[in-house]
Amino acid sequence: MFAKIKKRDGREVHFDDSKITDAIFKAARSVGGEDRETAMELTLGVLRMLKQQSNGQVFGVEDVQDVVEKILIEKGHAKTAKAYILYRDRRSRVRDAKGELMDVVEDIVKETDRDNANVGNSPSAKMLQIASAASRRYYLTRLIDEDYSLAHSRGDIHIHDLDFYATTCNCLQIPLEKLLKEGFNTGHGYIRPPKRPASATSLAAIILQSSQNDMFGGQSFPFFDKQIAPSMDGADEDKVYQAMEALVFNLNSMHSRAGSQVPFSSINLGTDTSEEGRGVTRNFLLAYEAGLGRGENPIFPNVIFRVKKGVSFDPQDPNYDLFQLAVRVASKRLNPTFSFMDSSFNKPYDDQVAYMGCRTRTMDNRRGPAVTTGRGNLSFTTINLPRLGIKAERNMKTFYRLLDEVTELTINQLYHRFQVQCRLKVKDLPFVMGQGMYLGSEDLKPDDSIEPAIVNGTLTVGFIGLAEMLVALTGYHHGQSKDSQQLGLEIVNYLRRKTDEACERFNLNYTLLATPAEGTCGRYVRLDRKEYGIIPGITNQEYYTNSYHIPVHFPISSFDKISLEGPYHRFCNAGHISYVEFAAPPQHNPEAVEAIIRHMAESDMGYGGINYPVDFCCNCGLQGVINEPNCPRCGSADIRRIRRITGYLSTIDRFNDGKVEELKHRLPHS
Amino acid sequence: MKIRVAGIEKESVVDGPGLRFVIFVQGCTRHCSGCHNPDTWDFYGGQEMDTGEILAQIGEGRLNRGVTFSGGEPFEQVAACALLAEQIKPLGMDIVTYSGYTFEELQTKSLADEDVKRLLEATDILVDGPFIAEERDWDLPFRGSRNQRLILVHESLAAGMAVQAE
């Protein structure tokens, strides 16, 4: 018979016909067949047909498999044939994935991927990237329904943090006061409640780190001033300052996720008017303003100052002095950002709304109390709006049909992920669930499903590139035309109605997010260019514009930008932010920053911030815009350049290509 | 009235307190070593604009606290700057003027030149004196070298001597 067969990698090996029999028998058994004899007869049929086709060449594996399919069908084994074909297809997907995966690993070993600007280049960071690539492949080829995984691979949608699809949830607003009062256990023993300010803040850092190890997204203290105030009782100003300074230092040096990155930490504060609470806010802001050891701008935590009339916003308010201090620090350090408790959608909750530094907001809750603490987003998936705009070819009926399809797909995919997450047990998230941090996890046992807790979380549909989508649909984005702005609001409102409907249908907290999209902004454009080419105003940049933002390269006054972006905040109940971009740090000009913040509040924004370049000479401490490679004061080339990326601060060398391009095009308002 | 400008910045945070509309007036004879904007020296550089056109643009800046005349040397095109400053004041905005001349020099000049007097009187804060590289200080708000002062013009004119902010 045949002596050799050519494997897929080109090697020729001994031809063993029992392997054909094995494969046929395996397929037959999967549909209920029990008879190996038949499989052997069929193998003979395969060999006969091969012989007929043979002209002396060595057959490849694929040739043989083609013949097996043909024989199975010809001999009337339709069910076995189907099973065999499906098996072949699955194997070939896995094989492709394996090949690709090895290429990815090779790239990572060369240089760490830049999807996440907060990950370093350390050995464990690379190890994490490789595991992440393998996880992504596994989930796309084995766990996730083909409809969803193809939509993701094509770039219709982007399943965020895919590498954690089945292992955990996104983010958490941490019940710090509870842990500090009762003590906690990180898995190696009980930690008792702190007695001094410095121990309280170092435990706070450990808590952030521990919960970060259980989750893939941001970790936040929703009411830091109020939550830690009891631990400051009676301490003098100096002690409180030292405690806060230690917290800032810890959060910029303490790594989690196997040593690859510091936790994505956020701190909300500003409305506690008690003496201790005010002391916390004041000293925390002062410590943040002072910066790290040589005066470097801290990268973490993200600081969110709560603005509320009657509490912190107006001169007669008890915390107005803290607001003034917050503005001063924001003028120098990029943080704090500002959350507006008086905006139409936050006001019903008094001052109880907190944000995550990446902009996430969790409030409404149909499965439990509508509170911030102990809850967070479970996962989010982002829709590629520009692609829909391009495909619709200016036909609005087509556009809405396409939008309906992809929104429906996204909602279902989020539900799939939720079901997968529900398979997790309390012991799989030992700190977050095991220590009863998540709302509804308090009474669960280690082997219980986490479902009763995570029904309190949110499932979130995000969107990116409203601007480019509007250009595709009308020729103008919302910064250029009033009609486009009207249409933009209409479409985002429509998306919100879709997620509201999903809440009813699934009895879960579906929400709409203005996606920051760190890695997605460049990936979508690359995929769309391949499909549709370079279209001016749509695919001609290296990135799609963040959510509903006005394109960063479009010249517009900050007044107009805020006025135009403001109305989108209320639709995006899963989170939103708007930025104003300055050409230089306004460090001597808090008044300018305050004017912006006040206009944001007037424009019904929920969350806003100020961006500007922060270049810092690590040698002499000069801070400002350093356009040249060396410090103009001391000549040192050791310049640390900090910018904001998707809500968090980072140094430029950690940005990915899409974000580097976006950064180059960010135009200050002039 | 025509004015030659090097450029306009509609929302600046580094040319005086608050958000400011900045007019970079073209042309300067001083040529300080280490000047931040040497392309503003040439009196034939930049572009000619109508003061009315600039005024209309200023009106659009709804968050701006005021207008800054920088340069170049605003007192080299003093008539146009004075006219603009007088038209800006009724909009409720304040005026910051940068000059290579000191306050005292400008006081003297204003005795002989009505337009200098007009611009000086319309100015709220004068950042005065030439940039001196040896006096460079990176940490000073709104100015480059230590010899330069933030002069509160109304108080100074009333007192007959330079009164500085801070």
Side-chain angles (χ1 to χ4, degrees):
Chain A
M1 221 38 193
F2 306 106
K4 287 186 167 168
I5 185 167
K6 194 186 278 180
K7 292 189 71 172
R8 285 184 186 80
D9 60 10
R11 276 182 299 147
E12 289 184 10
V13 296
H14 170 66
F15 186 100
D16 178 2
D17 57 32
S18 73
K19 288 202 168 164
I20 299 175
T21 312
D22 288 347
I24 293 172
F25 188 52
K26 203 171 164 188
R29 273 175 56 167
S30 75
V31 291
E34 287 294 342
D35 185 5
R36 195 172 166 95
E37 290 290 314
T38 315
M40 285 166 74
E41 278 165 32
L42 289 163
T43 307
L44 289 175
V46 171
L47 295 174
R48 266 196 298 275
M49 189 179 277
L50 281 170
K51 199 167 180 192
Q52 282 164 19
Q53 293 180 359
S54 170
N55 54 6
Q57 90 277 32
V58 174
F59 283 106
V61 172
E62 296 285 336
D63 304 324
V64 176
Q65 289 185 339
D66 286 345
V67 171
V68 172
E69 274 184 37
K70 219 178 274 175
I71 290 288
L72 285 173
I73 291 163
E74 271 180 17
K75 304 279 177 190
H77 297 277
K79 273 207 248 164
T80 306
K82 197 177 167 194
Y84 183 80
I85 291 165
L86 284 175
Y87 170 76
R88 236 185 118 179
D89 179 57
R90 208 161 49 234
R91 291 297 305 163
S92 106
R93 272 170 64 188
V94 170
R95 217 168 22 248
D96 288 351
K98 265 191 196 159
E100 255 177 72
L101 180 58
M102 290 310 134
D103 292 343
V104 174
V105 171
E106 198 168 299
D107 284 347
I108 293 167
V109 172
K110 273 186 230 149
E111 205 222 344
T112 312
D113 184 66
R114 287 270 164 260
D115 236 21
N116 173 339
N118 185 34
V119 178
N121 259 336
S122 66
S124 46
K126 285 183 176 145
M127 177 78 154
L128 182 82
Q129 292 283 327
I130 293 169
S132 156
S135 304
R136 277 199 288 263
R137 282 296 145 208
Y138 166 74
Y139 291 134
L140 284 177
T141 52
R142 302 274 186 100
L143 182 74
I144 301 172
D145 293 358
E146 197 164 35
D147 284 355
Y148 310 143
S149 66
L150 286 179
H152 173 87
S153 304
R154 274 199 309 267
D156 294 343
I157 61 171
H158 185 88
I159 302 172
H160 291 269
D161 302 287
L162 177 62
D163 44 355
F164 285 101
Y165 200 92
T167 49
T168 184
C169 316
N170 184 3
C171 58
L172 181 66
Q173 296 282 359
I174 297 172
L176 176 65
E177 72 288 2
K178 177 180 148 163
L179 294 165
L180 290 182
K181 198 173 154 206
E182 296 167 8
F184 57 90
N185 188 336
T186 57
H188 303 283
Y190 175 73
I191 309 291
R192 63 167 183 265
K195 295 205 174 77
R196 285 171 298 137
S199 358
T201 55
S202 51
L203 289 187
I206 289 167
I207 288 165
L208 278 172
Q209 185 187 35
S210 303
S211 61
Q212 179 72 86
N213 278 330
D214 275 4
M215 305 186 102
F216 60 75
Q219 302 300 317
S220 164
F221 295 137
F223 307 97
F224 182 65
D225 42 1
K226 202 183 182 92
Q227 291 177 309
I228 206 149
S231 306
M232 304 295 141
D233 195 19
D236 63 30
E237 195 76 359
D238 200 37
K239 285 263 173 353
V240 179
Y241 180 84
Q242 280 171 13
M244 298 305 152
E245 185 185 51
L247 180 64
V248 174
F249 277 43
N250 273 336
L251 292 182
N252 284 285
S253 53
M254 219 166 62
H255 286 69
S256 74
R257 284 202 199 173
S260 67
Q261 61 184 355
V262 293
F264 280 95
S265 52
S266 298
I267 279 181
N268 291 260
L269 40 64
T271 47
D272 187 347
T273 54
S274 74
E275 199 187 322
E276 292 80 15
R278 283 173 44 74
V280 169
T281 301
R282 181 172 54 247
N283 285 292
F284 180 82
L285 289 172
L286 289 171
Y288 196 93
E289 184 181 38
L292 303 181
R294 288 183 182 157
E296 296 100 322
N297 204 114
I299 302 282
F300 286 102
N302 212 310
V303 190
I304 303 144
F305 187 91
R306 274 197 183 82
V307 168
K308 184 166 180 62
K309 283 203 164 87
V311 182
S312 61
F313 204 28
D314 293 320
Q316 67 276 14
D317 296 344
N319 282 1
Y320 181 69
D321 58 333
L322 299 177
F323 172 62
Q324 292 297 306
L325 175 61
V327 167
R328 185 178 95 197
V329 178
S331 307
K332 190 176 168 193
R333 294 301 192 185
L334 292 163
N335 268 319
T337 46
F338 296 84
S339 64
F340 302 102
M341 296 297 112
D342 296 313
S343 54
S344 60
F345 44 91
N346 283 339
K347 206 174 169 70
Y349 304 104
D350 191 25
D351 66 348
Q352 292 300 301
V353 177
Y355 287 83
M356 202 57 83
C358 62
R359 77 189 59 182
T360 316
R361 170 186 181 276
T362 304
M363 211 55 224
D364 288 343
N365 187 6
R366 58 188 299 126
R367 300 294 292 271
V371 295
T372 284
T373 309
R375 303 174 60 207
N377 171 258
L378 298 175
S379 76
F380 65 109
T381 297
T382 292
I383 297 174
N384 179 353
L385 286 181
R387 175 175 296 180
L388 301 180
I390 297 167
K391 278 164 102 173
E393 294 179 328
R394 300 206 175 194
N395 181 327
M396 285 314 293
K397 227 175 129 181
T398 313
F399 173 79
Y400 276 108
R401 182 175 55 76
L402 294 169
L403 185 63
D404 279 347
E405 281 172 16
V406 73
T407 312
E408 191 59 27
L409 180 95
T410 306
I411 286 168
N412 289 329
Q413 179 271 316
L414 287 166
Y415 184 64
H416 173 258
R417 189 168 186 170
F418 174 76
Q419 287 173 305
V420 170
Q421 287 166 331
C422 284
R423 286 184 222 151
L424 291 167
K425 293 177 176 167
V426 168
K427 64 182 180 191
D428 293 321
L429 280 72
F431 193 62
V432 165
M433 297 294 169
Q435 294 297 303
M437 292 164 72
Y438 214 101
L439 186 64
S441 70
E442 300 85 350
D443 299 324
L444 298 178
K445 307 265 176 318
D447 280 314
D448 288 346
S449 154
I450 63 172
E451 182 172 358
I454 62 172
V455 292
N456 290 298
T458 57
L459 293 76
T460 299
V461 177
F463 64 91
I464 187 173
L466 185 77
E468 288 80 6
M469 176 208 73
L470 288 168
V471 172
L473 289 175
T474 70
Y476 302 98
H477 61 67
H478 49 319
Q480 296 169 313
S481 136
K482 281 205 170 91
D483 291 343
S484 295
Q485 166 75 349
Q486 209 47 51
L487 182 62
L489 287 167
E490 204 177 293
I491 290 168
V492 174
N493 186 14
Y494 183 83
L495 279 170
R496 170 62 185 276
R497 283 212 306 277
K498 288 278 155 192
T499 57
D500 284 354
E501 281 166 25
C503 292
E504 297 297 324
R505 195 156 20 118
F506 294 92
N507 194 24
L508 288 167
N509 297 309
Y510 274 90
T511 50
L512 180 66
L513 174 73
T515 303
E518 189 169 337
T520 320
C521 68
R523 186 174 92 96
Y524 277 166
V525 176
R526 282 195 300 278
L527 290 167
D528 285 347
R529 267 193 197 167
K530 228 180 261 171
E531 191 73 26
Y532 309 104
I534 293 181
I535 314 171
I538 305 173
T539 59
N540 60 325
Q541 309 283 358
E542 301 299 321
Y543 51 86
Y544 282 147
T545 300
N546 194 322
S547 62
Y548 52 72
H549 287 184
I550 304 284
V552 293
H553 52 81
F554 181 68
I556 186 169
S557 73
S558 48
F559 181 88
D560 287 342
K561 179 175 154 70
I562 294 168
S563 304
L564 287 169
E565 290 182 3
Y568 290 95
H569 283 222
R570 71 188 166 97
F571 295 125
C572 304
N573 56 342
H576 39 245
I577 193 165
S578 286
Y579 296 112
V580 159
E581 191 87 21
F582 289 149
Q587 53 186 327
H588 300 296
N589 210 341
E591 185 189 326
V593 173
E594 185 170 347
I596 300 283
I597 303 296
R598 291 197 173 271
H599 183 47
M600 285 177 164
E602 280 158 16
S603 304
D604 204 28
M605 285 192 169
Y607 185 28
I610 313 278
N611 284 341
Y612 46 86
V614 174
D615 298 335
F616 179 82
C617 172
C618 299
N619 183 49
C620 76
L622 175 71
Q623 180 168 322
V625 188
I626 304 177
N627 289 321
E628 46 283 81
N630 292 62
C631 172
R633 182 158 76 188
C634 74
S636 164
D638 191 4
I639 311 288
R640 182 173 139 107
R641 300 174 192 275
I642 293 175
R643 307 292 183 268
R644 196 188 304 277
I645 177 167
T646 64
Y648 295 95
L649 304 187
S650 180
T651 48
I652 288 185
D653 56 318
R654 294 185 170 201
F655 280 32
N656 66 29
D657 294 344
K659 281 289 168 187
V660 166
E661 281 304 312
E662 191 216 273
L663 185 67
K664 279 190 210 154
H665 292 137
R666 278 187 201 172
L667 201 63
H669 310 292
S670 57
Chain B
M1 197 171 182
K2 297 288 178 198
I3 180 166
R4 190 160 272 278
V5 299
I8 278 182
E9 190 158 338
K10 290 182 179 169
E11 286 174 348
S12 164
V13 294
V14 292
D15 296 287
L19 279 173
R20 309 194 68 83
F21 187 98
V22 187
I23 304 162
F24 292 92
V25 179
Q26 182 71 31
C28 182
T29 55
R30 205 168 286 269
H31 301 192
C32 301
S33 148
C35 171
H36 205 262
N37 304 319
D39 45 335
T40 63
W41 293 350
D42 182 359
F43 282 88
Y44 297 96
Q47 54 167 326
E48 199 172 71
M49 286 182 82
D50 192 79
T51 51
E53 188 187 333
I54 295 176
L55 195 66
Q57 287 190 21
I58 290 170
E60 291 166 12
R62 315 256 304 262
L63 291 179
N64 283 336
R65 164 175 156 167
V67 175
T68 296
F69 293 98
S70 184
E73 173 55 64
F75 283 92
E76 298 290 351
Q77 294 189 59
V78 66
C81 291
L83 174 69
L84 261 174
E86 286 165 356
Q87 289 171 332
I88 289 161
K89 291 245 115 170
L91 301 175
M93 297 173 118
D94 64 8
I95 305 284
V96 171
T97 306
Y98 283 75
S99 177
Y101 298 105
T102 62
F103 173 71
E104 292 76 11
E105 286 167 345
L106 288 170
Q107 262 187 311
T108 313
K109 274 170 91 77
S110 69
L111 298 175
D113 188 333
E114 181 63 18
D115 291 334
V116 171
K117 186 162 182 270
R118 283 168 62 209
L119 180 55
L120 203 52
E121 283 177 353
T123 297
D124 296 278
I125 296 174
L126 176 77
V127 186
D128 82 338
F131 172 70
I132 300 173
E134 295 71 38
E135 296 284 311
R136 183 87 168 103
D137 185 339
W138 295 91
D139 299 322
L140 291 171
F142 311 130
R143 57 207 195 276
S145 58
R146 277 181 289 267
N147 62 297
Q148 297 174 314
R149 303 173 291 179
L150 298 179
I151 308 271
L152 301 170
V153 179
H154 304 302
E155 289 81 341
S156 304
L157 290 174
M161 56 180 285
V163 177
Q164 293 189 49
E166 293 149 13

